């Protein structure tokens, strides 16, 4: 299989590529992840995933042959508000209190650059996640684990936060940051087979 450039330092995204036996190299994109107020929040993950791919593409030498670049962006949306990575413990606790006993939406967009066609394709996965009702002791315990660091919405579904998840409607791997089914379909459509 051809190696893919992964425009992300996310360990979970790397784990998913390893699971699929896809060879990869990490190159971090240098982008500003803020967006203008006029952008529909539902479109933000797709825009950021595409920007990450293009940032890596333009950072590489012009004469380098680039077969594939993959990027993803995950956002949590609840009541018309985006919940990204919390700045500190207090904000992380506030996020978890907001999600307690409620259902929020997790949207992960993936963008794939195909060096043969010089085109970027984008696809998104939307998952609804329902949290159990959490008390202060549970929230404080989770915050003390440190898992909230660098996690959209202040939780990692693939780890201890799974204690608090009552129901998932959609893609678990999408919540983790790289929806496997959508990725497989995109690669297959672009002529990249993982069945070797």
């Amino acid at each position: 299989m051809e190696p893919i450039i992964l425009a992300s330092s996310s360990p979970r995204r790397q784990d998913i590529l390893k699971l699929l036996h896809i060879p990869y190299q990490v190159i971090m994109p240098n982008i500003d992840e803020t967006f203008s107020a006029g952008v529909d929040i539902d479109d933000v993950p797709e825009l950021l995933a595409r920007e990450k791919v293009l940032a890596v593409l333009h950072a590489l030498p012009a004469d380098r042959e680039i077969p594939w670049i993959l990027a993803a962006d995950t956002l949590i949306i609840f009541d018309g508000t985006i919940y990204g990575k919390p700045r500190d413990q207090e904000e992380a606790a506030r996020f978890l209190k907001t999600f307690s006993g409620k259902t929020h939406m997790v949207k992960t967009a993936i963008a794939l650059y195909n060096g043969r066609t010089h085109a970027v394709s984008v696809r998104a996965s939307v998952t609804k996640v329902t949290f159990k009702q959490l008390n202060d002791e549970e929230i404080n315990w989770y915050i003390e684990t440190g898992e909230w660091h660098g996690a959209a919405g202040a939780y990692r579904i693939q780890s201890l936060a799974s204690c608090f998840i009552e129901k998932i409607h959609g893609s678990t791997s999408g919540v983790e940051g790289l929806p496997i089914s959508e990725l497989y379909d995109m690669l297959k459509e672009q002529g990249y087979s993982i069945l070797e």
Side-chain angles (χ1 to χ4, degrees), residues 14-128:
Q14 292 176 46
D15 287 345
I16 290 171
L17 292 184
K18 287 175 192 168
L19 173 73
L20 299 173
H21 301 288
I22 296 173
Y24 68 92
Q25 169 194 2
V26 172
I27 298 180
M28 282 296 295
N30 184 15
I31 68 161
D32 176 5
E33 294 198 29
T34 58
F35 48 90
S36 66
V39 174
D40 186 326
I41 61 171
D42 282 343
D43 297 334
V44 170
E46 288 96 330
L47 292 172
L48 291 177
R50 183 183 295 273
E51 278 186 33
K52 290 175 184 179
V53 163
L54 296 176
V56 168
L57 182 63
H58 297 309
L60 295 170
D63 59 347
R64 177 173 171 183
E65 189 175 319
I66 304 159
W68 305 94
I69 302 173
L70 174 67
D73 192 77
T74 301
L75 287 179
I76 291 177
I77 302 167
F78 178 71
D79 269 355
T81 301
I82 289 177
Y83 292 81
K85 298 170 185 172
R87 292 183 299 269
D88 52 35
Q89 288 187 341
E90 289 75 25
E91 187 169 50
R94 199 162 54 251
F95 285 5
L96 295 177
K97 282 181 184 174
T98 300
F99 302 150
S100 174
K102 299 183 181 82
T103 300
H104 60 265
M105 182 177 82
V106 181
K107 186 170 188 180
T108 297
I110 48 178
L112 180 69
Y113 170 79
N114 181 333
R116 292 188 201 109
T117 62
H118 304 287
V120 179
S121 54
V122 181
R123 187 166 294 188
S125 162
V126 176
T127 303
K128 291 180 180 175

Side-chain angles (χ1 to χ4, degrees), residues 127-141:
T127 303
K128 291 180 180 175
V129 178
T130 304
F131 265 64
K132 297 176 183 177
Q133 192 72 44
L134 304 177
N135 60 40
D136 288 344
E137 182 184 11
E138 290 168 319
I139 291 171
N140 292 336
W141 168 78

